[in-house]
Amino acid sequence: MSADVCVVGGGPGGRALALALTRLGCDVVLLEKRDPARGAGPAFRGESVSPDGVRLLDLLGVGERVRQAAHRVDRLEIEDAGQRVLDVRFADFPYRYRHPVELAQHTLLTALAEQTGRQPGGCTVLEPATVTGLLVDGPAVTGVRANTPTGPVRVTAALTVGADGRYSAVRRLSGLAEHARHTPLQRDVVWLKLPFPADWDRRAYRVRIAGDSHGLFLPSTDGTLRVGLNIPKGGLRTLRSGGLGGLHTRLDRLAPQAGAAARTSLHSWSDTALLDIFTAEVPRWSAPGVVLIGDAAHTLSPVLGQGVNHALADAVELATLAAEALGRDRRAHSRALLAALQLFQRRREPHVRRSRALQLRQERMFTLTAPAATALRRTVYRALDASPALRRRVLAPAYFPGHTPLRQAARTPEVRLV
Ligand SMILES: Cc1cc2nc3c(=O)[nH]c(=O)nc-3n(C[C@H](O)[C@H](O)[C@H](O)COP(=O)(O)OP(=O)(O)OC[C@H]3O[C@@H](n4cnc5c(N)ncnc54)[C@H](O)[C@@H]3O)c2cc1C
């Protein structure tokens, strides 16, 4: 098969890119290794979409569609040592897109795929299809080799995009993994879902901290409570060896309502999922004929739900630059394409860096244990709570990077990409 662009991976980044490129007149082949016949995929991942992600979904023309299935979030509340130290109300931010939403990843991916199917241009989706090798011509990547249930396929393309996630095969096969910095965070996260406590506000994100443990308690679109519970790095085996009781006790310490719900509804470790938390920084996102986006280019931690947002932002930025370059010269080693790929990284990397820095700062705050340090942590949160200007300064780079201030928004309607 041949196409202008071969997209490897059908997560939020890959699907959004296929949609945007197809709309901009490019021929696309997308390969996804997951078999759609095996259901919706991991139930825990990528449900929180930040306000900027909501803006990008509107830009991609799927905003209305996903809004019907999304759950709007109004508040972010942090409790430390049993005291509420921060209560952020998203309506107070002066931007057009202010609220994050919870959105099942399956709903998001289906909406992007269906919208792509409506475009007159061509997007061929091969799934399940697992990319196992790259095609090369001199220094340039010119496509991929993949395995499918009906046999091997080769896809040649002017541009191959690795949108294949945190363990990206394209990153490894292209040599772009060389010099990548992989930083494990101090703790891992166990994800689980519980019945939603009756007396909790369904429109709030809750972060609960007790000493050096913390948990995220998030409303889910299926009416349940999604819990991300921090455990020591590699500590799942120890936790499991103590039985589910150890998990209940950890939850009790942070939120007794969740501990009680876990006792009645969580019956086995198979109802949980472990996320190995690390960040990956790839110094070079592209080489002739190939580029990385989303988690493949920059794996982030789950703090503040940034992964989906950055994958969508990469897709929108890359589509515009690549379509323009391919319109001028459709060769993998063309100067126009090389320049477009480098510009793509220059434009996107500062945003990713700001989110990563905020996440790492936050993660360090969560792991403090000494009494003086935890007291200082509470003081910092209280200072944020007291000052809208400070809150905006800290949260805006991650939550509202492409924001349009309300006053300006009234004058300039948002432009739709598709
Ligand atoms: C448990 C968990 C909870 C999370 N919660 C949140 C959250 O609340 N909010 C948030 O913003 N982010 C969250 N994230 C992170 C978020 O899911 C990712 O940042 C986001 O999905 C990245 O999108 P992507 O398209 O770059 O990669 P992915 O979503 O990882 O998609 C990559 C795709 O490539 C496919 N693939 C991989 N290798 C190959 C191959 N060789 N051939 C073909 N296909 C391949 C995979 O099957 C996958 O579908 C969470 C992640 C996890 C694991």
Side-chain angles (χ1 to χ4, degrees):
M1 302 177 77
S2 80
D4 295 325
V5 182
C6 170
V7 179
V8 182
R15 300 270 174 192
L17 179 66
L19 167 57
L21 283 170
T22 311
R23 185 63 183 83
L24 292 166
C26 296
D27 269 347
V28 178
V29 172
L30 182 146
L31 302 99
E32 165 55 50
K33 75 174 178 189
R34 201 181 297 149
D35 186 347
R38 296 183 66 190
F44 294 102
R45 48 186 341 200
E47 293 206 4
S48 305
V49 177
S50 73
D52 199 50
V54 178
R55 177 186 72 88
L56 292 163
L57 292 173
D58 258 356
L59 208 65
L60 286 160
V62 295
E64 273 315 309
R65 166 94 205 277
V66 298
R67 220 168 261 125
Q68 292 161 17
H71 179 82
R72 195 192 71 229
V73 177
D74 294 342
R75 291 172 47 233
L76 164 68
E77 175 195 296
I78 300 188
E79 259 189 45
D80 191 345
Q83 301 162 26
R84 186 182 295 175
V85 286
L86 179 63
D87 187 0
V88 175
R89 288 170 192 268
F90 292 111
D92 292 345
F93 287 95
Y95 306 128
R96 184 203 295 256
Y97 292 90
R98 286 174 277 190
H99 296 266
V101 298
E102 289 299 295
L103 181 62
Q105 195 168 96
H106 176 65
T107 310
L108 169 64
L109 299 183
T110 306
L112 291 168
E114 286 179 4
Q115 185 75 355
T116 307
R118 283 192 204 103
Q119 307 308 318
C123 177
T124 306
V125 178
L126 301 179
E127 58 184 339
T130 304
V131 169
T132 53
L134 298 180
L135 306 175
V136 289
D137 177 8
V141 172
T142 53
V144 301
R145 279 193 306 274
N147 288 332
T148 75
T150 51
V153 291
R154 285 159 61 93
V155 180
T156 59
L159 177 62
T160 298
V161 182
D164 49 348
R166 59 207 319 254
Y167 304 109
S168 170
V170 174
R171 182 172 70 201
R172 177 172 40 80
L173 293 164
S174 61
L176 290 170
E178 210 180 314
H179 308 303
R181 205 163 73 196
H182 184 281
T183 313
L185 267 59
Q186 289 181 35
R187 289 152 335 137
D188 291 333
V189 176
V190 176
W191 289 96
L192 45 125
K193 281 192 170 181
L194 299 173
F196 203 89
D199 55 342
W200 276 14
D201 175 3
R202 284 186 180 273
R203 301 224 174 255
Y205 287 150
R206 285 182 178 72
V207 180
R208 295 279 171 98
I209 314 173
D212 66 345
S213 41
H214 88 268
L216 311 174
F217 298 86
L218 316 168
S220 195
T221 43
D222 58 10
T224 61
L225 177 71
R226 187 165 66 115
V227 181
L229 191 65
N230 270 85
I231 60 166
K233 191 96 207 147
L236 186 65
R237 187 176 295 187
T238 318
L239 187 64
R240 286 177 80 144
S241 66
L244 281 171
L247 188 69
H248 299 153
T249 312
R250 283 188 95 84
L251 282 169
D252 284 340
R253 235 181 119 205
L254 294 165
Q257 298 94 327
R263 278 187 179 78
T264 54
S265 67
L266 198 75
H267 304 298
S268 126
W269 287 103
S270 59
D271 296 334
T272 67
L274 178 76
L275 179 60
D276 170 21
I277 306 283
F278 62 85
T279 63
E281 289 170 66
V282 183
R284 234 167 19 104
W285 294 5
S286 65
V290 64
V291 64
L292 306 174
I293 67 166
D295 274 16
H298 43 69
T299 311
L300 295 167
S301 97
V303 174
L304 290 173
Q306 293 288 294
V308 170
N309 181 42
H310 281 293
L312 295 175
D314 283 357
V316 168
E317 187 77 57
L318 177 64
T320 320
L321 292 170
E324 212 255 329
L326 290 169
R328 282 193 271 146
D329 189 340
R330 281 184 144 72
R331 290 173 307 151
H333 42 73
S334 82
R335 271 183 187 207
L337 190 54
L338 267 180
L341 301 184
Q342 283 163 7
L343 180 58
F344 161 65
Q345 179 172 356
R346 279 204 303 282
R347 285 197 180 159
R348 288 289 308 135
E349 200 168 25
H351 296 288
V352 175
R353 218 179 277 143
R354 274 197 289 272
S355 286
R356 186 187 296 119
L358 179 64
Q359 289 186 330
L360 293 177
R361 266 203 312 276
Q362 189 56 60
E363 182 65 23
R364 273 195 296 276
M365 299 248 291
F366 284 152
T367 51
L368 297 173
T369 47
T374 54
L376 180 64
R377 176 174 67 204
R378 286 190 285 279
T379 307
V380 170
Y381 285 133
R382 286 200 179 101
L384 272 179
D385 197 51
S387 164
L390 194 58
R391 269 204 307 276
R392 205 180 310 160
R393 229 175 95 190
V394 171
L395 284 177
Y399 258 20
F400 313 101
H403 66 78
T404 311
L406 267 184
R407 259 176 301 137
Q408 188 185 331
R411 296 195 303 269
T412 48
E414 198 82 48
V415 179
R416 281 198 167 194
L417 179 70
V418 292

